[in-house]
Amino acid sequence: MSFLPNIVFLILLCIGGGFFIYNIRKLIRNIRLGKAEDTSGNHKERLKNMLWLVLGQQKMLVRPIVGILHIVVYAGFLIINIELLEILIDGILGTHRVFAPLGKFYNSLIASFEILALLVIVSVTVFWIRRHILKIPRFHKAELKGWAKKDASNILYAEMVMMSLFLLMNAADAQLQALQVPHYIQAGTFPISQWLRPLLQNVSVGTLIIIERSCWWLHIIGILCFLNYLYYSKHLHILLAFPNTYFASIRPLGTSKVNPIVTREVKLMLDPNADSFATAQDTNPPDKFGASDVTDLTWIQLMNAYTCTECGRCTDECPANLTGKKLSPRAIMMKTRDRLEEIGRNIDKQGTFQPDGKQLLGDYITPEELWACTTCNACVEVCPVGINPLSIIMDMRQYLVMEQSAAPAELNVMMTNIENNGAPWAYSQADRAIVFDE
């Protein structure tokens, strides 16, 4: 018995697994570039939120047909890959269908895998038609160009190929079992791949073995490639949706986050005993109000950027975008991730981050986009994986106002009125009483 296939399998497994771990470590490092955020407490509520959004696909089912198709693909991805455990053991030990002794349970499992594989192929085909023939508008917005556009199609093609390989492998296996070829034990029930067997009726045993083995190897290589492709793809949400929904904000929508830096400064202003020169004597640089680059955001906001599925539901619901303004919540998340990746590459090359003369604000996201937002929370409400583009928009607005005094003229007038008159109107308290009485 030759051990060469086992050795080759182990080498591929080590390379694929090693590169995946390398990318995951880089991902974690990049997310940790963000500021700390307190996520303690409310564990039951967070867990419930995660289960409903990820496993229950609660927000996907708002659009029932697409939601059900997505559940099929998601379930297919999770359940069919249980088979990966058998493939790993077979590949390492040189066995074939090592779980076959489970008998009827194993037969039922293989049958359910095949039915799911067919449903996945049907669902992915519908998604491809929606994207490339029906041309659903949200899949063809300005931000979806280049790699972002190709990525979605790449995944659809990959899933079609993977499921087809699985079914063709089973068809060849079933035919080899029928011919009682040694090593191919009688195991499994094949309700879908049996329809492919007539194509293999007149194929020689040697060719059948080549077909079955080729599909087996391509299937496992495809899984390893897909695993490592995730880091470069919007489908990273397959992994990050769980922590992202767990750590998502559980505050009521519309509740503003209190900035502790602003709170501290206000308390100092109101404290008659505070030393007004204390900050001048402090050797540490003053804290920045708001955010101008990704390192000013929290780690949760950075994880949001990596979790974005680029589905466009947020932009589809955004009233600013619908009225022709430049703002796209999806683009906000994509640009945040692009800038974070750029900083990550800088660190990879230099060892530590070296200033590159760029920042998120201005080079990636313009003030025009930020001020177009109505803060209605529609993007937050509709996101299927609990992403909050509004939090990034508000933090960057805060930087524009408090660090650069760069608010729009209308807002500056309002703030001046509040400062001088105690109200947003251009009247003193005495004048307001006269005007409103009239």
Side-chain angles (χ1 to χ4, degrees), residues 144-346:
L144 283 187
K145 57 185 179 181
W147 172 251
K149 191 172 184 178
K150 292 177 182 177
D151 177 36
S153 297
N154 290 344
I155 290 295
L156 295 179
Y157 298 138
E159 288 175 340
M160 286 183 187
V161 170
M162 295 283 287
M163 296 301 105
S164 299
L165 285 171
F166 173 69
L167 293 175
L168 182 57
M169 177 186 72
N170 279 354
D173 194 303
Q175 185 66 11
L176 288 164
Q177 289 182 33
L179 296 173
Q180 297 185 342
V181 176
H183 189 64
Y184 289 91
I185 60 176
Q186 301 293 319
T189 301
F190 310 104
I192 306 302
S193 61
Q194 68 175 344
W195 299 102
L196 299 175
R197 284 182 61 187
L199 301 174
L200 306 173
Q201 288 288 351
N202 299 319
V203 177
S204 67
V205 170
T207 303
L208 282 172
I209 292 174
I210 290 173
I211 292 172
E212 190 274 334
R213 286 290 84 192
S214 297
C215 290
W216 188 92
W217 279 101
L218 288 172
H219 188 70
I220 186 61
I221 291 171
I223 290 172
L224 292 174
C225 289
F226 181 82
L227 194 63
N228 285 289
Y229 179 78
L230 288 180
Y231 177 80
Y232 307 96
S233 167
K234 71 188 186 76
H235 285 75
L236 192 57
H237 73 273
I238 292 172
L239 302 178
L240 290 182
F242 290 93
N244 197 78
T245 50
Y246 180 83
F247 290 112
S249 173
I250 55 176
R251 296 190 303 270
L253 293 182
T255 304
S256 297
K257 182 176 67 174
V258 176
N259 189 325
I261 301 172
V262 176
T263 303
R264 187 189 67 191
E265 293 296 322
V266 171
K267 286 181 177 179
L268 283 172
M269 291 170 60
L270 297 176
D271 185 359
N273 299 317
D275 183 358
S276 59
F277 297 99
T279 54
Q281 300 168 358
D282 194 349
T283 56
N284 296 321
D287 291 320
K288 181 191 291 187
F289 294 107
S292 64
D293 211 347
V294 291
T295 51
D296 302 322
L297 300 172
T298 69
W299 68 269
I300 290 179
Q301 289 170 317
L302 299 187
M303 183 167 63
N304 278 186
Y306 273 122
T307 309
C308 179
T309 71
E310 298 176 16
C311 66
R313 283 173 171 79
C314 52
T315 297
D316 223 23
E317 297 290 334
C318 175
N321 188 272
L322 290 172
T323 55
K325 293 183 174 60
K326 193 176 179 180
L327 173 64
S328 167
R330 171 171 57 186
I332 295 291
M333 304 314 300
M334 292 172 68
K335 291 173 181 179
T336 301
R337 183 179 60 209
D338 289 345
R339 174 57 180 163
L340 183 54
E341 276 292 288
E342 184 177 50
I343 288 179
R345 289 192 296 270
N346 184 307

Side-chain angles (χ1 to χ4, degrees), residues 116-147:
L116 266 175
L118 177 62
L119 291 174
V120 168
I121 291 174
V122 171
S123 300
V124 167
T125 302
V126 172
F127 289 149
W128 187 90
I129 292 171
R130 282 164 49 83
R131 187 174 290 272
H132 295 285
I133 297 179
L134 299 179
K135 294 187 181 296
I136 304 298
R138 63 188 169 94
F139 297 138
H140 298 275
K141 297 281 187 178
E143 63 267 20
L144 283 187
K145 57 185 179 181
W147 172 251

Side-chain angles (χ1 to χ4, degrees), residues 94-106:
T95 53
H96 184 71
R97 296 194 180 274
V98 70
F99 293 148
L102 294 175
K104 291 183 179 179
F105 175 73
Y106 180 79

